[in-house]
Amino acid sequence: MHTHPALHLPWRVLVGTVGTVVILAGLVMMVFPGPGVAALLLGLVILSTEFRWANSLVRPVRVWSRRVERFGHRKKDEYLARWRTRRAARARRTSPRPE
């Protein structure tokens, strides 16, 4: 779409319209039940594919989500290590001892 001069502007208009509709739906869902924040972020992500100003708004959210993902992986690994240690200790206690 970006290389064809006749399709570039209609594509930007379409992306802008879809992103704006999703953002407006997110604003409505902030008042009524629904995933309002997720819809707002999704609308910004849609707009960020074509508009630089939206990309600069989404960038901190991307950084934050990567940090949260790394934190979650680290906590999961710590939990599994503790769980494996407890399971091994329990197996040593309950295993029959040879006489």
Side-chain angles (χ1 to χ4, degrees), residues 10-79:
W11 178 254
R12 284 179 63 98
V13 169
L14 178 68
V15 169
T17 304
V18 170
T20 303
V21 167
V22 172
I23 287 176
L24 290 176
L27 289 174
V28 169
M29 286 188 268
M30 295 288 264
V31 177
F32 295 105
V37 174
L40 285 173
L41 291 175
L42 179 63
L44 281 174
V45 167
I46 291 170
L47 289 174
S48 73
T49 62
E50 290 296 319
F51 301 103
R52 189 172 296 217
W53 61 268
N55 193 20
S56 66
L57 288 175
V58 173
R59 188 174 296 124
V61 175
R62 287 184 184 146
V63 170
W64 178 81
S65 65
R66 287 183 185 122
R67 285 181 187 163
V68 168
E69 182 182 15
R70 284 193 305 264
F71 177 78
H73 284 298
R74 192 170 59 244
K75 288 299 179 182
K76 178 193 71 155
D77 293 341
E78 291 171 3
Y79 171 78

